[in-house]
C-alpha cells in the first residue's frame, strides 16, 4: 500500500453516549460490560464471541468518533497503537477473515480521524497493516464461513481495493466472490438460509456499502450486488414491525435503532408491498398494528446452530410499542440462556408437554451449546391466507410433533376491525390413521383419563403492565402510552400468568417479564383453544368468547 486513493465517510453514525462511556473505561460490546480500570482493551479476556468480534472489528471506533470536537481521538489512537504493537504483524487474536474485513472498513472510513496528529511511526505502522490486512483478505476470505462472515470479509476487500493505492487489482476478484456469495446465500425472494432477520439486515447493509463506494469512486456498478439489494429490501420491509424494529427470530434481535431505516433509505429501493411469505414469515398489518408469524421450517443440521424452535410463533406490535414478543436470542447472556432462548417454551406459540417442536440430536448434550444444531423438526409447514372485513387472516400448520406424538399444530390468526382485534385459535390433532396409532401409543403411557398437556403461550414485552381481570377470565395489557388491550379466551383452557424473560442484547442481563399461558389437555384425537387480543372498543360478543 502506498497511500489513499479515496477516503470514504463513516457509513453508520456512532453514539456520543457510548463514546463517553468508553472514555470512562466502560467497554460495552456484544451484550457484555467490562470495566477497563486503566487497562488496555487488549489485556481483557472477551466474555463471549460477539464481544471479541466487536472488539477486534473496531466497532467502538464509531462511538469514539461521534464525540464532538474529536474528544475521542486520543483514546482511539492509543487503542489502535496498542493493537498494532500486539497484533499488527498478522498473528494472534483478531486475524480471522470476518474480523479483519470488519476492522478494515472501520479503519478506512475513519482514517482522517485516526491519522490527524498521529505519531509518524504509528502512521507508517497503520498504513502497513492496512496493506497486510488487504492481502490477508485476498488470500483467506474463502476460508471463512459462508453467509455473513464471508460478506464481511469481502466487503473489507472491496473497500481496500477502492480506497488504497496499489491494491486496485483486488477489486475484480472481490466482486466475483461477492457475486458468488449473493447467488449462493440470497434466494429469489431476498431471504437467506438461516432465516435470521437481523443477519439479513447486516448482509443488506454491507451490500449497500459496497454499492456506495463503487459509485463514489467511479467504478462500474455490479449487477449481482444491485440485484441482491433489490431482492432484500422488500423482504426487510415485510419483516419490520410498526415501531421500525425487526421480528426477533432464529438468533436475530430487533436491530440497532435507525439501522434498518437508514439502510433502506441508503439503498434507494422504492417501497413496495411483498406478496406471500418474506423469508418464511407471514405479515399482517392493519391500522397501526402489525402481526408477524414464523410460517416456515427452521434450518436443520449442522448449520442450524442459531435456529429457534419457534414455528408458528408470532409477535404483535401496536404503533411504537411491542405487545406480544418472543423471548429472543439469549446468546449474549451465556450458553444456558442461549439454549433456553431457542426452545419452543420461550416463543409465543403452542408447546407440547415441554417438548420443543424442533429438537437437538439425542447425544447433542456432549457438544457445546453454541455448536448444537437441530436434528429434527417441522418439515411440512403450510399457510393459507384470507381477506376479512377491515383486515386479513392466515391459517397455519406444522408437523413438528407428528413423528414423536402423531400430532399436527394448527393455528389461525385473524387481524380484524382495522387492527383493533386479533382473534386466534390453536389446535393439536391426529389427522390420519398412522397419526392416531402413534398418538394412542403415547397416551397409553399416561395416567388414565389425564390426557396429554399442551399450552398456548403469549410472552409480553417487559414494558407492558399486566393485570388479571374478570375474576381471572381476562388480562388487561397496558402499553407505555396508556393504550389498553384485553386478552380473553374461551372455556377450553385454564389461564394463568407466569414469569418469563426477554433477551435484549443492549442490556447486561435478561429482563424479567410475564407470559399468558392457556393450558389444556388432549382427549380423543385432538383439542383446541380460542383467544382474542383487542382494544376495549373492539370487544364484541362472540360464540367462543365469554362476555
Amino acid at each position: 500500500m502506498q497511500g489513499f486513493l479515496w477516503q470514504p465517510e463513516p457509513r453508520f453514525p456512532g453514539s456520543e453516549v457510548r463514546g463517553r462511556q468508553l472514555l470512562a473505561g466502560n467497554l460495552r460490546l456484544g451484550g457484555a460490560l467490562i470495566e477497563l480500570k486503566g487497562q488496555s482493551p487488549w489485556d481483557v479476556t472477551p466474555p463471549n464471541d460477539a464481544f471479541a468480534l466487536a472488539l477486534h472489528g473496531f466497532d467502538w471506533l464509531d462511538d469514539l468518533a461521534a464525540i464532538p470536537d474529536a474528544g475521542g481521538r486520543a483514546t482511539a489512537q492509543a487503542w489502535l497503537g496498542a493493537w498494532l504493537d500486539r497484533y499488527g504483524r498478522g498473528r494472534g487474536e483478531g486475524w480471522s477473515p470476518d474480523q479483519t474485513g470488519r476492522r478494515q472498513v472501520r479503519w478506512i472510513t475513519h482514517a482522517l480521524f485516526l491519522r490527524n496528529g498521529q505519531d509518524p511511526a504509528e502512521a507508517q505502522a497503520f498504513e502497513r497493516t492496512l496493506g497486510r490486512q488487504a492481502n490477508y483478505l485476498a488470500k483467506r476470505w474463502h476460508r471463512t464461513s459462508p453467509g455473513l462472515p464471508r460478506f464481511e470479509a469481502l466487503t473489507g476487500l472491496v473497500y481496500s481495493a477502492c480506497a488504497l493505492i496499489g491494491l486496485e487489482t483486488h477489486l475484480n476478484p472481490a466482486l466475483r466472490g461477492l457475486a458468488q456469495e449473493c447467488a449462493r446465500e440470497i434466494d429469489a425472494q431476498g431471504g437467506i438460509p438461516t432465516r435470521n432477520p437481523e443477519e439479513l439486515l447486516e448482509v443488506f447493509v454491507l451490500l449497500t456499502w459496497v454499492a456506495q463506494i463503487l459509485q463514489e469512486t467511479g467504478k462500474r456498478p455490479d449487477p449481482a450486488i444491485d440485484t441482491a439489494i433489490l431482492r432484500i429490501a422488500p423482504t426487510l420491509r415485510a419483516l419490520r414491525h410498526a415501531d421500525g424494529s425487526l421480528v426477533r427470530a432464529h438468533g436475530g434481535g430487533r436491530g440497532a435503532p435507525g439501522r434498518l431505516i437508514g439502510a433502506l433509505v441508503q439503498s434507494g429501493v422504492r417501497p413496495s408491498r411483498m406478496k406471500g411469505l418474506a423469508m418464511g414469515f407471514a405479515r399482517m398489518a392493519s391500522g397501526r398494528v402489525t402481526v408477524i408469524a414464523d410460517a416456515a421450517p427452521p434450518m436443520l443440521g449442522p448449520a442450524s446452530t442459531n435456529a429457534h424452535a419457534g414455528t408458528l410463533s408470532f409477535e404483535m406490535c401496536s404503533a411504537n410499542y411491542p405487545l406480544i414478543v418472543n423471548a429472543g436470542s439469549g446468546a449474549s447472556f451465556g450458553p444456558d440462556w442461549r439454549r433456553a432462548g431457542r426452545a419452543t417454551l420461550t416463543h409465543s406459540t403452542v408447546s407440547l408437554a415441554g417438548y420443543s417442536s424442533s429438537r437437538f440430536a439425542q447425544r447433542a448434550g456432549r457438544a457445546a451449546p453454541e455448536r448444537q444444531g437441530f436434528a429434527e423438526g417441522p418439515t411440512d409447514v403450510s399457510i393459507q391466507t384470507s381477506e376479512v372485513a377491515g383486515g386479513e387472516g392466515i391459517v397455519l400448520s406444522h408437523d413438528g410433533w407428528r413423528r414423536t406424538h402423531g400430532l399436527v399444530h394448527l393455528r389461525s390468526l385473524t387481524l380484524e376491525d382495522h387492527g383493533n382485534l386479533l382473534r386466534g385459535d390453536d389446535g393439536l390433532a391426529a389427522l390420519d390413521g398412522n397419526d392416531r396409532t402413534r398418538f394412542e401409543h403415547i397416551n397409553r403411557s399416561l395416567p388414565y383419563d389425564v390426557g396429554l398437556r399442551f399450552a398456548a403461550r403469549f410472552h409480553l414485552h417487559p414494558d407492558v403492565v399486566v393485570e388479571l381481570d374478570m375474576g381471572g377470565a381476562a388480562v388487561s395489557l397496558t402499553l407505555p402510552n396508556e393504550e389498553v388491550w384485553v386478552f380473553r379466551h374461551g372455556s377450553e383452557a385454564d389461564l394463568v400468568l407466569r414469569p418469563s424473560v426477554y433477551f435484549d442484547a443492549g442490556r447486561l442481563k435478561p429482563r424479567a417479564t410475564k407470559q399468558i399461558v392457556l393450558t389444556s389437555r388432549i382427549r380423543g384425537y385432538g383439542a383446541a383453544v380460542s383467544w382474542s387480543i383487542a382494544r376495549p372498543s373492539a370487544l364484541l360478543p362472540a360464540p367462543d368468547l365469554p362476555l
Side-chain angles (χ1 to χ4, degrees):
M1 174 196 163
Q2 302 165 15
F4 280 80
L5 284 165
W6 179 258
Q7 293 188 344
E9 293 291 326
R11 297 310 188 194
F12 190 72
S15 162
E16 180 186 348
V17 172
R18 290 196 300 267
R20 296 199 180 279
Q21 290 175 345
L22 290 168
L23 292 183
N26 297 320
L27 198 58
R28 187 169 180 171
L29 301 169
L33 172 66
I34 287 183
E35 297 181 17
L36 294 179
K37 298 179 179 178
Q39 290 178 293
S40 164
W42 318 116
D43 291 330
V44 304
T45 301
N48 57 50
D49 291 343
F51 187 101
L53 180 61
L55 178 63
H56 286 276
F58 277 62
D59 291 18
W60 44 267
L61 196 52
D62 294 333
D63 300 325
L64 288 177
I67 300 174
D69 301 320
R73 177 179 285 132
T75 297
Q77 289 175 338
W79 290 2
L80 169 64
W83 191 93
L84 291 170
D85 288 342
R86 188 172 299 194
Y87 304 114
R89 294 173 181 82
R91 296 186 299 273
E93 298 293 329
W95 283 92
S96 65
D98 54 336
Q99 286 176 317
T100 303
R102 198 164 178 159
R103 182 169 60 248
Q104 191 80 338
V105 172
R106 290 303 195 288
W107 283 11
I108 289 172
T109 55
H110 289 292
L112 288 174
F113 172 72
L114 290 170
R115 298 171 77 200
N116 193 336
Q118 192 177 35
D119 177 87
E122 289 189 348
Q124 289 180 0
F126 176 58
E127 292 189 2
R128 187 167 54 248
T129 307
L130 278 169
R132 181 176 289 126
Q133 290 183 159
N135 291 324
Y136 170 85
L137 290 169
K139 294 176 181 177
R140 299 291 185 89
W141 67 262
H142 60 281
R143 296 188 182 182
T144 197
S145 302
L148 180 58
R150 194 169 288 181
F151 280 107
E152 288 183 320
L154 286 164
T155 300
L157 187 55
V158 169
Y159 265 66
S160 302
C162 288
L164 305 178
I165 297 173
L167 299 174
E168 299 90 334
T169 57
H170 290 319
L171 181 59
N172 287 335
L175 292 176
R176 284 197 298 270
L178 272 174
Q180 293 168 5
E181 204 63 15
C182 287
R184 178 169 41 239
E185 294 294 314
I186 302 167
D187 62 28
Q189 289 73 43
I192 55 177
T194 62
R195 301 190 56 235
N196 179 331
E198 190 173 23
E199 185 175 310
L200 179 67
L201 170 59
E202 292 307 308
V203 169
F204 182 71
V205 165
L206 293 172
L207 293 175
T208 60
W209 288 357
V210 169
Q212 187 171 354
I213 197 170
L214 290 176
Q215 182 183 33
E216 289 173 348
T217 55
K219 305 293 190 300
R220 181 182 302 174
D222 189 278
I225 293 169
D226 290 346
T227 298
I229 290 171
L230 287 170
R231 288 176 177 174
I232 294 174
T235 299
L236 283 173
R237 285 190 170 98
L239 299 175
R240 181 178 60 179
H241 277 298
D243 67 344
S245 68
L246 290 167
V247 61
R248 297 164 1 114
H250 299 293
R254 294 166 60 80
R259 196 167 183 84
L260 174 57
I261 186 64
L264 289 171
V265 170
Q266 186 171 303
S267 73
V269 180
R270 293 183 178 181
S272 61
R273 181 176 174 84
M274 188 172 186
K275 296 181 179 179
L277 298 181
M279 202 167 72
F281 293 88
R283 184 179 194 266
M284 297 190 295
S286 185
R288 301 183 304 153
V289 174
T290 50
V291 175
I292 303 179
D294 189 343
M299 283 190 80
L300 299 178
S304 65
T305 54
N306 285 322
H308 284 202
T311 311
L312 304 198
S313 65
F314 78 95
E315 292 192 323
M316 178 181 182
C317 188
S318 177
N320 292 325
Y321 300 101
L323 180 59
I324 306 297
V325 296
N326 296 317
S329 172
S332 61
F333 305 107
D336 291 339
W337 285 120
R338 185 181 191 277
R339 187 175 181 119
R342 299 178 67 191
T344 301
L345 291 172
T346 52
H347 292 77
S348 293
T349 187
V350 165
S351 60
L352 177 60
Y355 203 74
S356 281
S357 57
S358 296
R359 297 164 292 279
F360 301 123
Q362 290 184 355
R363 296 190 179 186
R366 297 182 179 181
E370 62 272 14
R371 296 192 181 96
Q372 293 179 12
F374 288 138
E376 59 178 356
T379 56
D380 183 9
V381 180
S382 68
I383 177 171
Q384 294 181 338
T385 61
S386 61
E387 297 291 333
V388 298
E392 53 190 317
I394 52 175
V395 178
L396 310 131
S397 69
H398 83 72
D399 64 345
W401 293 301
R402 198 165 201 167
R403 191 188 68 80
T404 58
H405 295 75
L407 294 171
V408 172
H409 175 202
L410 303 113
R411 161 167 272 185
S412 70
L413 300 171
T414 307
L415 187 61
E416 305 175 25
D417 193 20
H418 306 288
N420 290 312
L421 172 64
L422 177 67
R423 292 185 188 271
D425 289 279
D426 283 294
L428 289 165
L431 298 180
D432 60 27
N434 291 332
D435 293 340
R436 292 174 181 179
T437 299
R438 188 173 293 113
F439 178 71
E440 289 169 355
H441 176 74
I442 294 293
N443 237 14
R444 281 197 294 268
S445 65
L446 300 174
Y448 178 72
D449 199 33
V450 170
L452 190 66
R453 292 173 61 87
F454 71 98
R457 301 175 184 275
F458 307 84
H459 296 269
L460 304 170
H461 190 272
D463 293 337
V464 177
V465 178
V466 187
E467 185 177 356
L468 281 172
D469 278 339
M470 298 175 62
V475 182
S476 291
L477 309 171
T478 305
L479 299 179
N481 64 347
E482 303 302 322
E483 181 177 286
V484 177
W485 292 76
V486 178
F487 179 97
R488 297 197 299 169
H489 69 102
S491 59
E492 316 93 348
D494 298 322
L495 183 152
V496 294
L497 287 178
R498 289 182 179 163
S500 183
V501 292
Y502 180 84
F503 299 123
D504 183 346
R507 300 290 185 109
L508 298 178
K509 295 181 180 179
R511 299 180 67 184
T513 186
K514 299 286 187 182
Q515 60 174 309
I516 301 169
V517 184
L518 298 180
T519 304
S520 189
R521 299 177 185 272
I522 303 173
R523 294 181 174 87
Y525 292 113
V529 296
S530 57
W531 50 269
S532 71
I533 306 171
R535 290 191 181 96
S537 60
L539 289 174
L540 303 172
D544 56 335
L545 296 172
L547 296 180

